[in-house]
Amino acid sequence: IGWASLCGLSPSLDELQLTIDDTARRAHVLTLSLPPDYPARSPVARAALPAPFELRWAPGERPSLAAAAAQFRGALAAHQSLWDELDDLDREAWVLEPKHPTRDVCHRRLALGGHCSLLVTLHPTAPSSLPELRFLGAERSIAPLRRALNSRLAEWRPERRVRLNLQALLGLALPSPVAADAADAADYSVECAICYEYLLDGEPPNVACDGCAKPFHQACLAEWLQALPSTQQSFNRLFGECVYCSKPISIEAVR
């Protein structure tokens, strides 16, 4: 397989990492753990792929590193279309999360504007088909987008990029990565409008005001409302005013 492919080796020499390029010259790392009686027994393989990867050997075939690398290349070939679509989204759209996706991750959360976003999850075996879609944001903002999407579902074209299909069905241009640095970037912001952080205990903002569309973490908004004397509570639900626009907003109290 060549020393150039070796990118890591454990001190005990029982685990090694190989860098292997796919047909699009994307680099992938294959980790092989060698049993004490290798090559009598097969190494155990680990890699960041959308589907489980296991080494398989024909009856009587003796395991080898070269054969393991060849099997890994075959597994990479099965996911080229998926990675082409995900790379296009990473390059052309404003991806909110994951920030540093590995090759086993099949979803992207895209900024839409108006403090709204779209969670797109591609099917590993059919990446050009209609993906799983979930809108996140204030209902008054995402309702027109949901209606536009549902009215044009029949226009999805598998031969077209997922990104271009989404734009056609939504009737808008997806914000590009440069929008993050633009003067009107605040319109695309999805950070919590109280703590100004995106993730809180690993969770993004999951509540939005129907008046100004500002996003909030449930815990942040609940803590803010509980500190206001004007807030009312009925059972486990808080009723108060938005931090920014003073429109009515309600949320379950955090226990």
Side-chain angles (χ1 to χ4, degrees):
I1 58 176
W3 286 105
S5 299
L6 185 66
C7 63
L9 185 64
S10 67
S12 56
L13 306 181
D14 60 353
E15 184 172 282
L16 53 88
Q17 293 179 317
L18 304 176
T19 300
I20 298 176
D21 290 348
D22 61 22
T23 55
R25 302 183 67 82
R26 289 177 285 241
H28 303 265
V29 175
L30 172 63
T31 300
L32 296 172
S33 298
L34 307 179
D37 55 349
Y38 173 83
R41 278 197 300 139
S42 170
V44 177
R46 301 195 310 276
L49 296 180
F53 173 65
E54 293 183 7
L55 295 172
R56 301 183 183 276
W57 310 98
E61 181 182 5
R62 192 173 181 83
S64 70
L65 298 183
Q71 290 189 40
F72 186 57
R73 290 189 183 93
L76 296 179
H79 303 299
Q80 294 305 292
S81 296
L82 171 67
W83 292 327
D84 287 346
E85 295 292 355
L86 292 171
D87 285 353
D88 179 72
L89 290 173
D90 291 335
R91 183 174 55 252
E92 303 293 340
W94 183 356
V95 177
L96 300 171
E97 62 172 339
K99 291 295 186 182
H100 305 287
T102 51
R103 290 298 178 184
D104 55 339
V105 176
C106 299
H107 70 272
R108 298 291 188 270
R109 190 179 185 193
L110 309 178
L112 296 179
H115 308 293
C116 296
S117 60
L118 178 64
L119 181 61
V120 181
T121 304
L122 303 187
H123 304 290
T125 58
S128 61
S129 64
L130 181 68
E132 179 182 336
L133 302 172
R134 179 188 173 195
F135 289 100
L136 300 165
E139 182 60 27
R140 73 172 182 87
S141 298
I142 65 176
L145 297 173
R146 189 184 295 115
R147 287 194 296 269
L149 174 71
N150 291 335
S151 67
R152 300 184 181 122
L153 285 178
E155 299 178 20
W156 186 274
R157 292 164 46 191
E159 69 276 9
R160 184 167 54 186
R161 283 280 184 224
V162 167
R163 174 179 55 85
L164 298 178
N165 270 313
L166 291 174
Q167 292 184 151
L169 269 59
L170 294 173
L172 54 80
L174 294 174
S176 69
V178 298
D181 301 319
D184 59 349
D187 185 50
Y188 298 98
S189 173
V190 290
E191 285 80 15
C192 174
I194 293 177
C195 72
Y196 301 108
E197 296 290 340
Y198 179 59
L199 295 178
L200 178 66
D201 296 330
E203 294 295 326
N206 52 2
V207 180
C209 173
D210 283 332
C212 63
K214 293 283 189 182
F216 307 98
H217 294 118
Q218 181 179 358
C220 294
L221 183 58
E223 183 177 356
W224 179 280
L225 292 177
Q226 287 171 332
L228 298 178
S230 59
T231 298
Q232 298 183 357
Q233 182 168 354
S234 177
F235 297 99
N236 193 44
R237 195 160 191 86
L238 300 173
F239 297 85
E241 296 180 348
C242 173
V243 182
Y244 287 83
C245 68
S246 299
K247 295 290 186 182
I249 191 170
S250 65
I251 188 176
E252 288 187 6
V254 177
R255 296 180 179 179

